[in-house]
Amino acid sequence: MNSKTRKQLLSFAAATGVLFQLGGTAHAVQVFDLGEFVVHAPARVAVEEVAATPASVEGAYAGGQVANSNLMGVLGRQSFIETPVNVTGYTSELMENKQASNISDVVANDASVKEHSLSGASSAWTIRGFRTTQQDMQFNGLFGIAPRFYTGTEGYERVEVAKGPTALLSGVAPNGGNIGGSINFVPKRAKDTPINRVKLSYGNGSQFTQHIDVGHRFGENNKYGVRVNVLNRNGETSVDSEKNNVSSVVIGADMRGKKHRIGLDLGYVYNEIENPQYRVNFGATADNGESRKLFAGAKYTKENPYTVFEPNKNAKFGADNTWRRVTEKYGVLSGEYDLSKDWTAYAGVGMRYTSMDYYYNEFVVNNIKTGAATIGYKYNNQINKGLSIEAGVRGKIVNRGVTHNIGIAASRISYERYMGNRTFKNTFAGNVFTQTADSTWSHPDGYRGWESPLNDKNVTLGLSISDRIVTSDEAWQVILGGRIQKIKQTSYLTQTNFPKDANTTWNGSKVDSIYDKAAFSPSVGLVHKLNKHASLYANYMEGLQAGEIVSDGNSTNVLAPYKSKQIEFGTKVDFGNWSSSLSFYDIKNPYTKAQNKGSYDAEIRNRGIEWNIFGEPTKGTRILGGIMYLDAKIKSDSRTGASNVEGNRYAGAPKWNAVLGIEQDIKGVKGLTVTSRVKYVGEAYANEANTLRTPGFVTWDLGARYTWNSGNTPMTLRADVYNVLDKTYWNALDRNAVYLSGGRTFMLSLTASL
């Protein structure tokens, strides 16, 4: 399908006709042409008056940007002021108005979340300083079902960000990525009012996007609903020669009965990224030839770190003719049944099938004086299958005026990863100071056939019990609960049966380790409502992750599942049209760096303060933002010599993060709104030794939208300029790596509600 000659429009008929199959591989490129379509808008008796912002957004707080309540796992749906944790649910209204095409665009509004992506094809973030990835997102409360690599937002009604370890509330993330918090995607549902939207967008480089969103309810009392989103995107991103092509279909169906609610969600995504930008690694001997290693520290120390140079905004550290091709297919069937007026049983089952074909490079700086670097290549074929099941019951018992809200939930999450991950031995020369997209980089010799042997299996079983105790005057709430989690993993590590190739090293399919461990994690929460507008809260929460596999080269040892522990307290205030919260937290998390030891040899302690604000303090003025101060340290380290980094700051975690967004309706021009957002990220270290530093940076966004009626059709034109000052900056990661970000981009879109 030639993007230069075809006419790309979207069709509701094409969406409902997609065959949903949980099978297939990504090494054969899969595309579908949506062809042409004609939409006939029903005639209207009268033209509705269009305001700059709807008077209210369903389920949203004043201003429409943040949800009134959020899904808190075993506790059910909880309002903002009555929840003993810091959580923010970003609405689809916010996503539309910010023109958020992916999750990074959404969480950019949260000061507790920092971008931590490794490349233009691999998204990751930190929450309260701890790393999480798309692989550990939840889909309507279920782990392991959301697309594993694709981060688009077109199928989501809300994106909920809960801060802190949440083992009791949400269980264990398959890849251990919910130490600092978790992100949950709430799928779109049909509303009582029909939805027929067509949106055309252009920007973020030269990408052209077509998106149709259709939702209808029918039957007696609107019992049945169907919501369909179809999106097609292609073109170059703001990074030189990088291209992003997406075709996705998301279907959400539901049925509402007197005692039961049933939902069915289906999704299909094909995403191809060509020539992705990649991180820059600084090698251990990149010290201008000094006798001691840079990060061990003769020339550069914690007191005198190497500050990464001012970047060239046109630099390109991803090689030409590389790619990542991903196919994601997923489905979830969920429902709940009212056993009585006080008790409800619920269950959900979901499956996901992901296939990936990933050919990429690594850019490693070997000399920081000359900029000399080495470019090496890797190739990864992967098939990943996920299955998630959850069942539980929620209800209440009233005894002498005290209400016990009981929650019991059991879950099972499993995934299998079939992967052929290989490294090509020959490398090529580059330079970190002068590098742009370089056609002289050549493809290395090596075997590139599709290979995906079984790499690992992971099964987690969990049972959680909670009691939310509420006094008769509702002034006090006490939450008591715990979760027992059993984790079993089988790893296949040492290659034995791949085709022999002298230019390639392999991982592969020999059983190397098996473990089967269980652990219990308790949680306590407290909420005291001073009045209907203000509350104090505190919690002790634990997270739980699978134990690490450590090796001395001859044998392996699997450590016990490890716990992250958080103490948090704070206050929340609701002024009616705007709200604010202030949180203080301390999280401790064990980890190991010495691979020949049989126990965890270090501990990370992240301690911080968060202030958040959102709402519409005056009519037509909306605010959203916050500040986080984070003291992230390696608190203890039992290693000896230069390896000991006790007292150093945790890599990739700046002390300060801040963001503030403002929207203002222009009273003199009906339907016009102007927007602005300022974001600050402080300086950070990219390694444990604290000898590699990135400076802080500020970005500024400006935008406007205009809503009007064209005949009988409401229209919205949105225009945004991101990073107005054209700031280019390095984003600190970890393990001696940084990622080049920034540069001015824009986005223009037109939405018609037919």
Side-chain angles (χ1 to χ4, degrees):
M1 181 169 56
N2 191 326
S3 62
K4 294 183 179 180
T5 60
R6 68 175 181 168
K7 185 175 182 181
Q8 298 174 322
L9 292 171
L10 305 176
S11 167
F12 176 76
T16 55
V18 170
L19 178 62
F20 184 84
Q21 293 180 314
L22 293 174
T25 58
H27 63 283
V29 178
Q30 302 181 41
V31 297
F32 53 88
D33 195 335
L34 299 174
E36 299 183 4
F37 76 101
V38 177
V39 176
H40 299 283
R44 300 183 181 179
V45 177
V47 177
E48 297 179 3
E49 185 176 340
V50 176
T53 299
S56 64
V57 177
E58 184 177 345
Y61 190 77
Q65 300 182 99
V66 173
N68 270 323
S69 61
N70 298 281
L71 184 62
M72 302 306 298
V74 71
L75 300 180
R77 188 154 296 282
Q78 296 284 296
S79 67
F80 155 77
I81 205 165
E82 294 183 343
T83 304
V85 298
N86 190 328
V87 57
T88 305
Y90 297 101
T91 66
S92 59
E93 183 82 3
L94 170 85
M95 296 182 228
E96 286 290 330
N97 289 334
K98 296 296 184 184
Q99 304 200 69
S101 61
N102 57 58
I103 301 304
S104 293
D105 297 333
V106 181
V107 298
N109 298 285
D110 199 312
S112 302
V113 184
K114 174 183 173 288
E115 182 74 17
H116 201 77
S117 295
L118 305 179
S119 73
S122 179
S123 296
W125 310 270
T126 61
I127 306 176
R128 290 184 171 175
F130 291 102
R131 189 168 182 266
T132 188
T133 69
Q134 175 72 13
Q135 302 170 21
D136 282 333
M137 305 294 102
Q138 292 176 280
F139 185 92
N140 216 19
L142 291 177
F143 279 119
I145 302 303
R148 186 172 175 86
F149 298 107
Y150 178 67
T151 63
T153 61
E154 59 269 16
Y156 304 140
E157 189 69 31
R158 287 191 308 281
V159 174
E160 300 173 337
V161 182
K163 288 91 170 184
T166 54
L168 171 66
L169 304 178
S170 55
V172 176
N175 298 279
N178 62 339
I179 299 172
S182 60
I183 299 176
N184 180 49
F185 304 142
V186 179
K188 288 181 176 179
R189 291 284 182 260
K191 311 292 186 182
D192 288 328
T193 302
I195 297 170
N196 300 285
R197 296 193 192 110
V198 175
K199 179 180 179 182
L200 302 178
S201 305
Y202 181 81
N204 190 21
S206 58
Q207 296 182 86
F208 182 40
T209 303
Q210 312 91 47
H211 179 199
I212 185 168
D213 182 0
V214 177
H216 288 268
R217 303 204 71 85
F218 51 94
E220 185 179 357
N221 297 321
N222 284 337
K223 182 176 182 179
Y224 304 99
V226 177
R227 185 82 173 263
V228 178
N229 279 262
V230 183
L231 181 140
N232 194 79
R233 176 183 299 124
N234 63 66
E236 291 192 1
T237 73
S238 58
V239 177
D240 184 29
S241 76
E242 182 181 272
K243 297 180 180 179
N244 191 342
N245 301 314
V246 179
S247 296
S248 76
V249 178
V250 182
I251 302 173
D254 71 288
M255 179 176 64
R256 306 185 305 206
K258 290 183 179 180
K259 288 190 174 185
H260 63 275
R261 278 77 57 195
I262 299 174
L264 175 65
D265 296 281
L266 303 174
Y268 167 88
V269 178
Y270 176 76
N271 183 206
E272 179 178 10
I273 300 175
E274 300 177 30
N275 310 319
Q277 177 74 288
Y278 213 72
R279 65 186 173 186
V280 174
N281 291 83
F282 287 81
T285 57
D287 61 347
N288 305 340
E290 296 289 337
S291 59
R292 297 186 64 185
K293 295 181 180 179
L294 167 63
F295 304 125
K299 183 174 182 180
Y300 295 102
T301 65
K302 182 170 62 173
E303 292 73 27
N304 180 34
Y306 172 69
T307 300
V308 186
F309 56 89
E310 185 74 18
N312 175 2
K313 67 179 180 180
N314 296 316
K316 183 71 163 64
F317 302 106
D320 288 339
N321 301 311
T322 55
W323 66 80
R324 191 193 70 177
R325 299 165 184 155
V326 173
T327 299
E328 308 263 18
K329 303 176 184 181
Y330 60 94
V332 178
L333 178 63
S334 59
E336 57 183 28
Y337 181 80
D338 296 332
L339 303 172
S340 67
K341 67 176 183 177
D342 293 330
W343 288 87
T344 298
Y346 62 94
V349 57
M351 294 183 291
R352 175 188 45 78
Y353 180 99
T354 299
S355 58
M356 180 180 72
D357 185 21
Y358 195 12
Y359 181 48
Y360 62 103
N361 70 283
E362 289 190 338
F363 192 101
V364 180
V365 180
N366 299 312
N367 190 304
I368 59 177
K369 182 177 181 180
T370 65
T374 301
I375 296 93
Y377 287 78
K378 292 189 175 184
Y379 188 33
N380 187 323
N381 302 132
Q382 182 177 149
I383 294 176
N384 192 288
K385 301 177 182 180
L387 173 63
S388 185
I389 303 172
E390 183 180 38
V393 62
R394 291 188 295 264
K396 65 180 181 179
I397 300 172
V398 180
N399 183 22
R400 297 181 180 180
V402 176
T403 302
H404 295 264
N405 297 275
I406 308 297
I408 303 173
S411 65
R412 183 184 188 275
I413 305 169
S414 65
Y415 74 83
E416 297 178 353
R417 182 169 55 172
Y418 300 80
M419 183 170 69
N421 195 24
R422 67 214 75 168
T423 300
F424 298 147
K425 291 183 178 179
N426 52 329
T427 59
F428 303 89
N431 190 285
V432 73
F433 296 132
T434 61
Q435 185 59 54
T436 57
D438 192 341
S439 60
T440 64
W441 293 358
S442 302
H443 285 298
D445 295 328
Y447 177 66
R448 297 189 195 130
W450 177 276
E451 298 286 351
S452 52
L454 181 60
N455 190 84
D456 57 289
K457 297 179 180 179
N458 190 307
V459 178
T460 63
L461 301 172
L463 175 65
S464 60
I465 302 175
S466 68
D467 183 5
R468 183 169 63 90
I469 305 168
V470 184
T471 58
S472 58
D473 59 0
E474 298 186 351
W476 291 90
Q477 293 186 38
V478 179
I479 297 173
L480 303 174
R483 184 178 183 90
I484 186 169
Q485 194 80 35
K486 184 179 182 182
I487 303 173
K488 181 178 181 180
Q489 179 170 312
T490 305
S491 297
Y492 306 80
L493 298 177
T494 305
Q495 169 58 33
T496 56
N497 62 357
F498 271 112
K500 301 300 181 181
D501 191 315
N503 298 303
T504 309
T505 58
W506 301 84
N507 78 309
S509 56
K510 172 185 174 183
V511 175
D512 193 73
S513 62
I514 301 175
Y515 72 88
D516 191 349
K517 305 281 186 178
F520 177 75
S521 54
S523 297
V524 179
L526 175 67
V527 178
H528 176 45
K529 295 178 67 176
L530 303 174
N531 51 51
K532 65 179 181 179
H533 299 296
S535 66
L536 304 174
Y537 79 94
N539 69 63
Y540 171 79
M541 295 281 182
E542 290 191 357
L544 192 63
Q545 286 78 42
E548 294 189 39
I549 300 173
V550 294
S551 174
D552 61 3
N554 297 313
S555 62
T556 59
N557 181 41
V558 180
L559 304 184
Y562 62 98
K563 299 179 182 180
S564 52
K565 301 177 181 180
Q566 173 185 269
I567 297 175
E568 178 181 359
F569 62 92
T571 181
K572 301 178 182 181
V573 183
D574 183 352
F575 295 98
N577 292 323
W578 66 281
S579 288
S580 180
S581 67
L582 183 64
S583 305
F584 303 82
Y585 62 87
D586 184 288
I587 306 173
K588 295 179 180 179
N589 185 66
Y591 79 123
T592 183
K593 298 300 290 182
Q595 294 298 299
N596 61 346
K597 291 195 173 183
S599 63
Y600 298 105
D601 46 36
E603 182 181 72
I604 303 166
R605 189 226 59 201
N606 286 9
R607 177 180 294 167
I609 305 172
E610 295 169 335
W611 175 70
N612 298 288
I613 187 171
F614 59 87
E616 191 172 18
T618 62
K619 184 65 177 178
T621 303
R622 291 167 291 281
I623 55 177
L624 176 65
I627 300 173
M628 178 180 69
Y629 170 76
L630 177 62
D631 181 21
K633 286 187 177 180
I634 301 173
K635 191 63 176 176
S636 64
D637 190 345
S638 63
R639 293 171 291 179
T640 59
S643 298
N644 188 289
V645 291
E646 184 172 320
N648 289 5
R649 279 169 57 183
Y650 189 39
K655 281 190 174 182
W656 291 97
N657 268 21
V659 60
L660 178 62
I662 300 176
E663 294 189 352
Q664 180 63 56
D665 298 340
I666 305 302
K667 295 181 180 179
V669 183
K670 190 171 186 177
L672 177 63
T673 300
V674 295
T675 67
S676 179
R677 182 175 64 187
V678 177
K679 188 173 181 69
Y680 171 73
V681 177
E683 67 173 47
Y685 293 105
N687 64 342
E688 291 181 339
N690 288 182
T691 56
L692 178 61
R693 172 186 172 273
T694 59
F697 57 88
V698 177
T699 59
W700 179 34
D701 307 329
L702 284 176
R705 63 179 181 271
Y706 181 59
T707 304
W708 79 100
N709 285 315
S710 177
N712 294 328
T713 304
M715 309 284 289
T716 302
L717 179 67
R718 297 179 175 91
D720 288 278
V721 179
Y722 306 107
N723 197 355
V724 174
L725 301 180
D726 200 20
K727 176 69 175 178
T728 305
Y729 52 89
W730 293 106
N731 203 14
L733 304 178
D734 55 9
R735 290 169 291 182
N736 304 339
V738 296
Y739 181 70
L740 182 64
S741 300
R744 185 187 302 116
T745 59
F746 76 94
M747 182 66 73
L748 181 69
S749 69
L750 179 64
T751 302
S753 298
L754 305 173

